[in-house]
């Protein structure tokens, strides 16, 4: 599985096989609950307390990218004019679009944020992770 496909399916960035979230759907109650570790490779999903506060940056980038995409699509398909309210119709459409996609965006941004700090390892089954529950290396802790 490639990187983009693993991100869109919310898979573990280390093995790209295990699910990051307990619920398969982004539109059910408890959609943001995550297991402590990947069920396949054992990679901890939370590196440290407050780790996912940084995913707000990824969420912001995704929201801007989606807004720019809808703006360009609206411009090409419908167009903009100063003589009518098409700009305001796009603003309403874009706001509705982002609200509907918000749970999916939140999950995707968490998966992206984790993938920035955990790299893919094709030999994950032959190597053991050195990380503890909170992501601190056991050798570092002894120092």
């Amino acid at each position: 599985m490639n990187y983009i496909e693993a991100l869109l399916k919310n898979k573990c960035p280390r093995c790209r096989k295990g699910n990051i979230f307990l619920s398969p759907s982004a539109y059910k109650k408890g959609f943001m609950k995550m297991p402590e570790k990947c069920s396949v490779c054992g990679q901890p999903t939370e590196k440290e307390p407050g780790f996912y506060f940084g995913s707000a940056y990824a969420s912001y980038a995704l929201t801007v990218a989606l807004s720019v995409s809808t703006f360009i699509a609206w411009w090409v398909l419908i167009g903009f004019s100063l003589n009518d309210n098409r700009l305001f119709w796009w603003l309403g459409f874009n706001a509705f679009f982002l609200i509907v996609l918000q749970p999916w965006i939140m999950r995707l941004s968490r998966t992206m944020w984790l993938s920035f700090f955990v790299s893919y390892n094709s030999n994950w089954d032959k190597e053991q992770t050195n990380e503890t529950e909170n992501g601190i290396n056991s050798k570092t802790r002894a120092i």
Side-chain angles (χ1 to χ4, degrees):
M1 187 177 301
N2 67 26
Y3 178 71
I4 301 296
E5 186 179 1
L7 274 180
L8 294 175
K9 291 183 177 181
N10 293 314
K11 298 295 183 180
C12 171
R14 182 172 180 235
C15 65
R16 296 185 183 166
K17 293 181 181 178
N19 293 324
I20 293 293
F21 296 98
L22 295 175
S23 173
S25 174
Y27 296 97
K28 290 186 179 177
K29 188 174 181 176
F31 69 97
M32 292 299 286
K33 292 188 179 183
M34 302 172 75
E36 289 183 23
K37 294 181 178 185
C38 173
S39 60
V40 177
C41 68
Q43 172 66 42
T45 56
E46 187 158 346
K47 305 284 287 170
E48 60 188 30
F51 175 71
Y52 289 107
F53 285 133
S55 69
Y57 296 110
S59 179
Y60 179 75
L62 287 171
T63 303
V64 168
L66 286 171
S67 294
V68 168
S69 299
T70 61
F71 181 83
I72 291 171
W74 192 278
W75 188 11
V76 169
L77 297 174
I78 297 171
F80 289 105
S81 173
L82 297 175
N83 301 327
D84 57 13
N85 293 329
R86 286 187 258 184
L87 177 65
F88 296 108
W89 279 102
W90 170 76
L91 285 171
F93 168 77
N94 190 56
F96 177 76
F97 183 69
L98 292 176
I99 289 170
V100 167
L101 288 180
Q102 191 58 38
W104 181 77
I105 291 170
M106 289 170 61
R107 287 170 60 123
L108 182 61
S109 65
R110 273 197 178 193
T111 306
M112 281 176 60
W113 191 251
L114 183 61
S115 73
F116 292 155
F117 297 96
V118 176
S119 58
Y120 174 65
N121 185 353
S122 59
N123 297 322
W124 64 266
D125 53 345
K126 296 174 183 66
E127 299 174 8
Q128 293 294 324
T129 180
N130 292 340
E131 299 186 33
T132 60
E133 290 290 323
N134 61 0
I136 299 171
N137 191 326
S138 59
K139 292 178 184 175
T140 306
R141 185 184 305 213
I143 294 175

